[in-house]
Amino acid sequence: GDARVRGQTGVLSERRGSYPFIDFRLLNNTTLSGEIGTKKKVKRLLSFQRYFHASRLLRGIVPQASLYLLDEDYLGQARHMLSKVGMWDFDIFLFDRLTNGNSLVTLLCHLFNVHGLIHHFQLDMVTLHRFLVMVQEDYHSQNPYHNAVHAADVTQAMHCYLREPKLANFLTPSDIMLGLLAAAAHDVDHPGVNQPFLIKTKHHLASLYQNVSVLENHHWRSTIGMLRESQLLAHLPKEVTQDIEQQLGSLILATDINRQNEFLIRLKSHLDNQDLRLEDAQDRHFMLQIALKCADICNPCRLWDLSKQWSERVCEEFYRQGDLEQKFELEISPLCNQQKDTIPSIQIGFMTYIVEPLFERWAQFTGDTPLSGNMLNHLRRNKAKWRSLLHKQHSSSRSNDHSGQVTGSQEQTLKKEETP
């Protein structure tokens, strides 16, 4: 049934644990009608998921190996890193190790404090921590890319963008809180496969959201569910919480890559006409959408060592989906065929058609700031490195092809030697 819940504000949310994490073993039992698995199996998974959340995560219990049980040396290093959280070379992988896998919770608690949000909104620290644990635990660590570390990385990038003078001079505490919350929760409960996969396997989320921004809608409604469960904003007036929930949805839905051209065209129009008025809440919200979109796909703009790790992770996730599609005789999705779609070719295409157009417009908006210049320089250098790696792959492939072939003159010589 429909597991969404309508709150007092009228916005539909999703109960945590209402749906099982995608268990691809169910695909083995695909019926002729295309339904995955049996109702009995799905019901059993639902029950386990509900028990799991109710007994541990729903109560906001911190994992046993929490930040506070870490060695003091690790805590000291983590605190030192947080003092440089606004630097673009921030290593989120190292930070996640230093916080024992609690990078998202630790980062958000710090940023809420740095931006004065706890005081401004009179937030209870215990409740805030409980909510952030819910968010972090609802990401799936088995995903190579769409996991809590990615969410922390996007949040750190969002923090950097919120400090850009062109934007920072106009932002309100509400804008900042919305930007950080949306960044932290923008991919929550991501199943590790894309929307076309959910549609062609007739997943319940695809039918629930009628094949439109399926994952983004799920991320948003799940976030609303966690906000209500934790009661983080319960002390605020009803109209304030209603506005926060709606704006969170608008921000998270903007990350749908299928809407890329829509946002680029609108941004180009604003920049060409020079009609952005950041005193206007509507224009500020639009630029927050653009900032979140940039943060979500900023990996190619990071230092090579960090960027390369993210590229390998996202391609591994693509390849896992392709392997599943091949195993269950489904059409392999674009970019998911490990035999044809190489990491360099995927990254070059992604940078050329998705990342470069967006970040060039972002730089046009921010002006000639050190951060924008730094990101574009990294982007160009990284693209050149991927081109070099692609060239080496092609050269190696041609060399292997020739090594197994016999030239025309060699073939004639062999024939002569074989003649009696």
Side-chain angles (χ1 to χ4, degrees):
D2 193 335
R4 295 173 297 176
V5 180
R6 186 181 297 276
Q8 292 181 346
T9 60
V11 178
L12 290 171
S13 69
E14 289 186 29
R15 292 195 302 265
R16 299 177 72 228
S18 296
Y19 299 117
F21 181 70
I22 293 179
D23 187 337
F24 296 109
R25 290 171 297 180
L26 294 177
L27 286 170
N28 283 320
N29 299 309
T30 302
T31 61
L32 293 176
S33 63
E35 295 178 357
I36 299 177
T38 64
K39 291 183 179 179
K40 187 175 181 180
K41 285 188 176 182
V42 171
K43 186 176 181 180
R44 188 162 63 245
L45 283 170
L46 285 170
S47 300
F48 172 76
Q49 190 87 347
R50 284 181 179 138
Y51 169 78
F52 181 66
H53 281 287
S55 63
R56 181 167 175 265
L57 302 183
L58 198 61
R59 302 176 189 277
I61 297 174
V62 185
Q64 289 182 348
S66 71
L67 170 67
Y68 308 105
L69 299 180
L70 289 177
D71 184 272
E72 183 61 30
D73 289 341
Y74 281 84
L75 282 171
Q77 292 179 64
R79 277 195 292 266
H80 177 69
M81 287 195 70
L82 283 174
S83 69
K84 300 183 178 182
V85 72
M87 305 293 289
W88 190 244
D89 61 356
F90 191 86
D91 187 340
I92 199 65
F93 297 112
L94 173 59
F95 185 69
D96 192 63
R97 291 193 294 272
L98 292 175
T99 56
N100 201 27
N102 284 288
S103 55
L104 187 58
V105 173
T106 312
L107 181 66
L108 261 295
C109 283
H110 176 74
L111 292 179
F112 265 61
N113 189 45
V114 165
H115 288 284
L117 302 177
I118 296 172
H119 174 74
H120 182 86
F121 291 99
Q122 295 296 295
L123 301 177
D124 177 72
M125 274 302 299
V126 174
T127 306
L128 174 62
H129 189 271
R130 182 184 301 121
F131 167 72
L132 294 176
V133 168
M134 284 182 178
V135 174
Q136 181 174 273
E137 291 291 338
D138 266 20
Y139 279 93
H140 301 293
S141 58
Q142 61 265 51
N143 290 345
Y145 184 83
H146 289 103
N147 51 43
V149 184
H150 165 64
D153 184 62
V154 172
T155 303
Q156 189 270 335
M158 189 67 165
H159 168 65
C160 293
Y161 299 156
L162 294 177
R163 298 173 68 218
E164 285 283 56
K166 186 70 176 290
L167 195 57
N169 294 334
F170 298 94
L171 293 176
T172 67
S174 294
D175 295 328
I176 296 171
M177 185 172 74
L178 281 165
L180 294 177
L181 283 178
H186 79 285
D187 273 333
V188 73
D189 200 32
H190 196 291
V193 292
N194 60 19
Q195 175 173 293
F197 184 93
L198 298 180
I199 292 173
K200 65 187 175 187
T201 56
K202 302 186 186 301
H203 193 270
H204 54 78
L205 288 176
S207 59
L208 181 63
Y209 295 115
Q210 300 179 342
N211 299 344
V212 177
S213 296
V214 174
L215 288 169
E216 292 74 25
N217 268 301
H218 178 56
H219 305 323
W220 168 36
R221 303 302 172 84
S222 298
T223 304
I224 299 305
M226 287 184 281
L227 278 172
R228 292 176 182 172
E229 283 179 22
S230 67
Q231 296 192 318
L232 178 64
L233 307 176
H235 62 289
L236 299 178
K238 175 183 173 181
E239 59 273 14
V240 174
T241 56
Q242 181 176 8
D243 185 56
I244 288 173
E245 290 181 352
Q246 293 285 3
Q247 290 199 63
L248 272 176
S250 178
L251 288 170
I252 293 174
L253 288 172
T255 62
D256 185 350
I257 202 69
N258 293 317
R259 300 180 64 191
Q260 188 78 356
N261 285 338
E262 169 195 336
F263 281 95
L264 264 181
I265 291 171
R266 185 177 166 192
L267 178 59
K268 181 180 183 298
S269 175
H270 278 308
L271 295 174
D272 291 347
N273 296 327
Q274 299 183 349
D275 59 0
L276 274 173
R277 298 291 178 264
L278 296 180
E279 302 88 347
D280 185 343
Q282 185 175 353
D283 282 2
R284 282 202 312 278
H285 183 77
F286 173 67
M287 289 314 302
L288 282 177
Q289 290 177 310
I290 297 298
L292 181 59
K293 289 178 68 62
C294 288
D296 190 26
I297 62 170
C298 72
N299 302 150
C301 302
R302 297 281 193 181
L303 290 166
W304 169 250
D305 288 342
L306 299 176
S307 178
K308 183 171 179 287
Q309 285 188 67
W310 286 121
S311 298
E312 291 168 348
R313 283 168 175 258
V314 74
C315 288
E316 182 184 348
E317 199 166 290
F318 289 162
Y319 296 153
R320 285 188 185 185
Q321 177 177 323
D323 290 344
L324 280 167
E325 290 168 332
Q326 184 176 36
K327 180 178 179 180
F328 297 108
E329 299 181 349
L330 301 168
E331 182 182 356
I332 299 180
S333 299
L335 311 181
C336 296
N337 191 331
Q338 192 167 2
Q339 306 306 317
K340 297 180 180 179
D341 305 308
T342 66
I343 297 178
S345 62
I346 291 173
Q347 290 307 304
I348 292 169
F350 179 56
M351 292 177 177
T352 302
Y353 300 108
I354 303 296
V355 183
E356 281 181 341
L358 180 60
F359 277 87
E360 285 171 355
R361 292 297 176 184
W362 175 257
Q364 186 180 344
F365 163 72
T366 61
D368 189 21
T369 65
L371 176 58
S372 288
N374 199 17
M375 290 192 298
L376 287 176
N377 286 336
H378 285 320
L379 177 60
R380 289 161 186 150
R381 282 195 291 264
N382 292 341
K383 186 176 177 180
K385 288 193 176 186
W386 285 121
R387 285 192 184 280
S388 175
L389 289 173
L390 184 64
H391 177 72
K392 288 179 180 178
Q393 282 186 355
H394 287 166
S395 298
S396 175
S397 177
R398 285 195 296 268
S399 175
N400 290 336
D401 289 344
H402 291 321
S403 65
Q405 293 177 354
V406 179
T407 64
S409 59
Q410 287 174 327
E411 187 176 0
Q412 288 183 357
T413 302
L414 287 172
K415 284 183 177 178
K416 289 179 180 178
E417 291 176 347
E418 291 171 357
T419 305

